[in-house]
Amino acid sequence: MSTKLYALPASHPCAAVEAALGLKGIEFDRVDLVPMTQLLIGPLRYGGMTVPGMRIDGEKLVGSRTILRRLDELRPEPPLLPPPGDERYAPMLEAERWGDEVLQGVPRRIIDVAFLRRPSAMESYAGGAKLPLPVGLMRPALPLTARLMAIKNKARDDAARADLAALPGQLDRIDRWIADGLLGGEQPNAADLQIGSTLRLLLSIGDVRPLIEGRPAGKLSQYFPPIVGEIPPGVLPAEWLPPAAGA
Ligand SMILES: N[C@@H](CCC(=O)N[C@@H](CS)C(=O)NCC(=O)O)C(=O)O
């Protein structure tokens, strides 16, 4: 099976797919795209304009959930979902959907707004990627790239503020799923991968880290290798930040 994962540096849904490939022992090549080039390259290579995209023996796939479903079909062990008759099947699919459609956008908007304030922080996230261009050559384009990403993701100050205000309630929800045994098992399921990859990215934002550390939700990031990249504390205005739990 020839498998190619098309990704962007530090992309959390790409990390979810990469972890699933690792769990299933599927060998693959990761192709890191320069941010924004996915709009041109994606349709040709994997049939979409966002990452993760994938080609498996010529079959084109796009979207983290679509890819995870296909990987379960192609390599059933270990399964990422319980069997359809299992009582955990529907809640797990719902947690995965929420992780994709609701939580996934949260770090995107916060990080885009932080990049507008500190474009140099973008470079740190490229550290682990094999990009086709040296990061030094891309440096002059970082402020414009940050602006384009923010427009694409509708990341404005008011949106990032609203995301930060909603985050403690979202973390409570994840903590409850962990307490119920739906998330956080020894071996990650599809919802763990979707939600855990987002938490790992959120933990890379210095100002957000204290909101997550010490909560059960924080341990979902442990299914992944440590992230490369950081927004240093102090980039986001202090008045935007809700108090940490127990503070
Ligand atoms: N929710 C989808 C969308 C993924 C998505 O939006 N990925 C971002 C990177 S994390 C992306 O491709 N951004 C570039 C763009 O929207 O042009 C998934 O899980 O596959």
Side-chain angles (χ1 to χ4, degrees):
M1 189 156 101
S2 149
T3 306
K4 235 177 211 182
L5 168 63
Y6 292 90
L8 284 171
S11 158
H12 39 324
C14 295
V17 169
E18 194 162 0
L21 288 162
L23 281 168
K24 289 176 178 290
I26 300 174
E27 285 190 26
F28 66 100
D29 290 321
R30 175 176 168 133
V31 180
D32 274 298
L33 304 172
V34 173
M36 302 312 292
T37 63
Q38 78 282 353
L39 298 174
L40 290 173
I41 294 174
L44 299 172
R45 298 282 168 84
Y46 57 85
M49 288 207 262
T50 56
V51 297
M54 188 165 270
R55 269 185 96 128
I56 305 179
D57 289 339
E59 179 184 358
K60 296 176 180 181
L61 296 163
V62 62
S64 54
R65 284 186 289 164
T66 301
I67 294 172
L68 259 52
R69 289 306 85 79
R70 188 70 181 124
L71 294 181
D72 258 346
E73 284 169 5
L74 292 170
R75 187 73 64 88
E77 293 300 326
L80 298 172
L81 289 171
D86 191 291
E87 62 178 17
R88 295 185 329 139
Y89 180 76
M92 200 177 288
L93 276 182
E94 171 54 17
E96 186 200 34
R97 182 206 63 77
W98 178 85
D100 180 346
E101 294 180 6
V102 180
L103 194 68
Q104 211 187 74
V106 172
R108 234 175 245 138
R109 288 183 291 271
I110 299 174
I111 286 178
D112 284 352
V113 161
F115 282 163
L116 289 175
R117 292 177 142 68
R118 183 82 59 93
S120 60
M122 273 180 96
E123 212 173 308
S124 70
Y125 288 88
K130 282 191 229 135
L131 289 164
L133 288 174
V135 177
L137 270 186
M138 290 161 42
R139 199 168 289 140
L142 294 183
L144 177 63
T145 308
R147 206 171 283 273
L148 292 175
M149 282 168 51
I151 292 170
K152 181 111 211 325
N153 292 328
K154 298 186 173 58
R156 294 177 312 271
D157 283 2
D158 57 348
R161 276 188 97 150
D163 281 325
L164 288 163
L167 190 56
Q170 293 171 329
L171 294 170
D172 285 344
R173 179 176 213 178
I174 298 166
D175 286 348
R176 278 197 300 276
W177 276 331
I178 293 172
D180 292 348
L182 188 67
L183 302 181
E186 195 172 318
Q187 177 138 298
N189 58 51
D192 284 314
L193 294 180
Q194 187 65 245
I195 293 172
S197 58
T198 296
L199 286 162
R200 183 182 78 137
L201 185 57
L202 281 165
L203 282 162
S204 76
I205 310 169
D207 293 311
V208 171
R209 211 176 290 135
L211 304 178
I212 303 174
E213 274 173 345
R215 276 180 175 264
K219 84 171 195 190
L220 299 186
S221 67
Q222 290 167 15
Y223 298 123
F224 302 88
I227 196 160
V228 177
E230 193 199 19
I231 312 264
V235 172
L236 298 174
E239 64 273 19
W240 291 12
L241 303 170

